[in-house]
Amino acid sequence: MTKAKSITILVIISILIIMAAVFAFVSFSIGETKQYNGYMSTISLGLDLSGGVYAVYEVDTSDEAYASKSDEEKKASVEGTRSTMESLLFSKGYTEAQVSVYGDTIRIEVPDVDDPTRIFDLIGRPASLWLQGSDSQITSSDSYNKDADGMSGSDIQRAGVVFDDSNGQYAVALEFNSEGTKKFSELTSTFSGKYIAMFVNKELLICPSVNSQISDGKCTISSGQGYSYEDAYNLSVQIMAGSFQVPLNMIESGVISATLGSTAILAGIISGAVGLALIVIYLIVLYRLMGVAASLALVYYSFTYLFFLAIFPWVQLTLSGIAGVLLSIGMAVDANVIIFERIKEEFGNGKTLQTACSVGFRRSLGAILDGNITTIIGAVVLIIVGSFGAAALKGFGITLLIGLVLSLLSSLLLTRLMLACIRSLTGASDEVAKLYALKRIDANAGGDSSAEEKSRQEQGGDVVVGAPAGEEV
């Protein structure tokens, strides 16, 4: 690599680090109407750091359909409703939402909510959904008939917004569970070329036409004039609100205050910055120019990590999530230490600086991958286990997984690039090795032992070196 190319790469990386720092923390106006806020402020926070909203629902035990079920069926229906609520909130980006069942009541806690009204629109309107087949288009709620050919909305697994390429507008996508797939296939077969009306709480919602039989349990609902995103979102919310397996009444709602609050966030930022600075100083003191290369890569990695935490919709940072961030940074530092120690060993054994660096990275690859891959597997397991109600485990696993993947790229690619650029500027002769904290191993160290060993080999006997006088060996 030429010196000009090395300088260019180092300058670009430095500019990117400065820009990342500015865009992370600084807010500024764009024109007269737009405002940019640092992406650090857009990282979604959990209940313990920012608070949120909660709602408590009670099962309507007076409902005839619910009352006719056995105790086991009632319990299964309530648990199914809890699962549906959790999936609904997760699909909307509230990954740290907690849904708990206490007998005949369900409590939902949703952290870091900018618009509580929107959340209550999403979870605060439990309703009954009825899909009713019809030979003609239904235009009035008076046509509701529970005894007509149709199916309930409890078999809808998911409703969301998709973009319809055919007309350049948004549409609503529905996905049914296995039982619902069979029912919907039969319903669309019977009323292919006709209509299926959707009633929420016996009120007509929409009455779309059916193009053909749908047997895979997936369909889209579009409008002739096209839905806007807001219209499609509201329609999907109304459909999902009617997909719960038990009738619910909201008996309580309110705002949850943060248990840790902004003081803890500020303390976390300060401690993280101080910790990172101490790590940088440690690396530079111990490994000199190799430490400079690692520090540049580590700082760039840290800002990239924060950016990914801000843009990934399923990240909601909690105290356990912060622990995942810190562990990831520790793994990144550990990988650099493994690489540098291997380089020192290779150089000490007689290799040139350039060869020692190349061999050091190659021979440390196995150890780094082994440590990180096993931790990645653990993070995935935590995410899977956390999806069944342990939100703290899921938050820790998500931040850890993102950090580990980025740390691998940082230590194996970015650190190597930075070191190659610095080596190109300083040269790779043995005279500059001390700038990298490298030195040769003295082959004559412990010469007496070598002489004794040689004597032993010549005489064919065993020699004990340095045994204290008067002791039997």
Side-chain angles (χ1 to χ4, degrees):
M1 185 182 296
T2 64
K3 289 186 177 182
K5 187 176 181 180
S6 299
I7 293 173
T8 301
I9 292 174
L10 290 173
V11 169
I12 291 174
I13 293 296
S14 300
I15 292 174
L16 289 176
I17 290 174
I18 294 172
M19 291 179 61
V22 170
F23 284 106
F25 299 104
V26 178
S27 299
F28 51 85
S29 299
I30 304 176
E32 298 181 356
T33 58
K34 295 183 179 180
Q35 175 75 19
Y36 172 81
N37 296 314
Y39 60 78
M40 269 287 293
S41 63
T42 65
I43 297 177
S44 185
L45 303 176
L47 283 170
D48 52 356
L49 296 177
S50 68
V53 297
Y54 76 94
V56 180
Y57 298 93
E58 186 177 52
V59 177
D60 184 1
T61 55
S62 62
D63 181 79
E64 294 181 2
Y66 178 78
S68 63
K69 296 180 179 180
S70 66
D71 290 342
E72 287 298 322
E73 289 175 332
K74 290 178 181 178
K75 185 177 180 180
S77 297
V78 173
E79 179 58 29
T81 299
R82 185 206 65 79
S83 179
T84 300
M85 283 183 164
E86 196 170 66
S87 298
L88 172 60
L89 290 166
F90 188 89
S91 67
K92 302 303 181 184
Y94 302 103
T95 57
E96 291 291 329
Q98 301 178 17
V99 185
S100 307
V101 175
Y102 304 95
D104 288 335
T105 61
I106 298 176
R107 180 184 174 91
I108 299 176
E109 297 178 349
V110 185
D112 197 25
V113 178
D114 295 326
D115 186 3
T117 303
R118 194 175 184 88
I119 286 295
F120 288 125
D121 282 342
L122 184 65
I123 62 175
R125 298 185 297 184
S128 60
L129 176 67
W130 172 247
L131 284 69
Q132 179 177 319
S134 176
D135 294 331
S136 59
Q137 189 169 27
I138 294 176
T139 58
S140 171
S141 301
D142 296 334
S143 300
Y144 172 84
N145 182 4
K146 189 68 173 179
D147 296 325
D149 289 338
M151 60 182 290
S152 69
S154 61
D155 292 314
I156 295 178
Q157 189 172 12
R158 189 174 294 104
V161 180
V162 295
F163 187 75
D164 190 349
D165 294 325
S166 62
N167 57 14
Q169 300 289 339
Y170 291 97
V172 176
L174 298 184
E175 184 176 340
F176 294 83
N177 58 28
S178 57
E179 186 65 26
T181 297
K182 298 176 184 177
K183 295 178 182 178
F184 194 65
S185 177
E186 295 174 359
L187 189 63
T188 53
S189 175
T190 303
F191 292 95
S192 177
K194 300 176 183 178
Y195 300 88
I196 293 180
M198 291 187 177
F199 294 88
V200 174
N201 288 344
K202 302 182 181 180
E203 297 292 327
L204 179 65
L205 182 61
I206 54 172
C207 185
S209 60
V210 180
N211 292 333
S212 61
Q213 180 184 7
I214 300 172
S215 57
D216 62 353
K218 298 179 181 179
C219 72
T220 57
I221 303 172
S222 58
S223 170
Q225 299 177 345
Y227 290 121
S228 65
Y229 178 84
E230 195 69 23
D231 290 339
Y233 178 86
N234 289 333
L235 179 57
S236 68
V237 168
Q238 288 178 291
I239 292 174
M240 283 302 295
S243 66
F244 301 140
Q245 298 180 24
V246 294
L248 299 172
N249 296 316
M250 187 166 69
I251 59 175
E252 185 182 353
S253 65
V255 177
I256 304 172
S257 60
T259 56
L260 298 177
S262 57
T263 303
I265 299 174
L266 180 60
I269 294 174
I270 294 174
S271 61
V274 171
L276 186 61
L278 292 176
I279 289 172
V280 167
I281 294 172
Y282 173 81
L283 289 173
I284 294 175
V285 169
L286 191 61
Y287 298 108
R288 301 183 187 178
L289 287 182
M290 288 195 296
V292 171
S295 298
L296 286 171
L298 188 61
V299 172
Y300 186 80
Y301 156 78
S302 299
F303 284 115
T304 305
Y305 194 2
L306 293 175
F307 177 72
F308 275 89
L309 293 179
I311 65 171
F312 279 5
W314 55 83
V315 172
Q316 282 192 310
L317 201 60
T318 61
L319 196 59
S320 60
I322 292 175
V325 172
L326 297 177
L327 180 57
S328 301
I329 295 175
M331 294 289 287
V333 175
D334 181 63
N336 285 317
V337 170
I338 291 174
I339 292 169
F340 296 158
E341 289 298 325
R342 175 63 73 175
I343 291 174
K344 291 174 68 174
E345 180 181 334
E346 297 297 332
F347 184 84
N349 289 332
K351 292 183 174 62
T352 64
L353 176 58
Q354 183 173 348
T355 303
C357 290
S358 178
V359 174
F361 272 95
R362 186 174 70 250
R363 291 188 175 177
S364 59
L365 179 62
I368 293 172
L369 288 179
D370 286 346
N372 281 269
I373 290 175
T374 52
T375 311
I376 286 174
I377 293 173
V380 172
V381 171
L382 288 175
I383 294 172
I384 295 173
V385 173
S387 300
F388 294 96
L393 293 179
K394 183 166 62 179
F396 176 80
I398 289 174
T399 56
L400 179 59
L401 179 61
I402 296 172
L404 287 173
V405 173
L406 292 177
S407 72
L408 275 175
L409 297 175
S410 172
S411 58
L412 296 178
L413 299 180
L414 192 55
T415 299
R416 186 168 191 169
L417 176 62
M418 294 294 95
L419 188 56
C421 291
I422 294 174
R423 194 174 64 244
S424 175
L425 296 177
T426 63
S429 64
D430 286 1
E431 288 73 18
V432 301
K434 62 182 180 179
L435 298 177
Y436 296 85
L438 300 176
K439 61 180 180 179
R440 300 293 186 187
I441 297 176
D442 188 358
N444 294 321
D448 292 341
S449 297
S450 299
E452 294 285 356
E453 175 65 18
K454 183 177 179 180
S455 174
R456 182 191 66 80
Q457 292 176 352
E458 292 176 349
Q459 297 174 11
D462 295 331
V463 176
V464 177
V465 179
E471 291 188 8
E472 294 181 359
V473 180

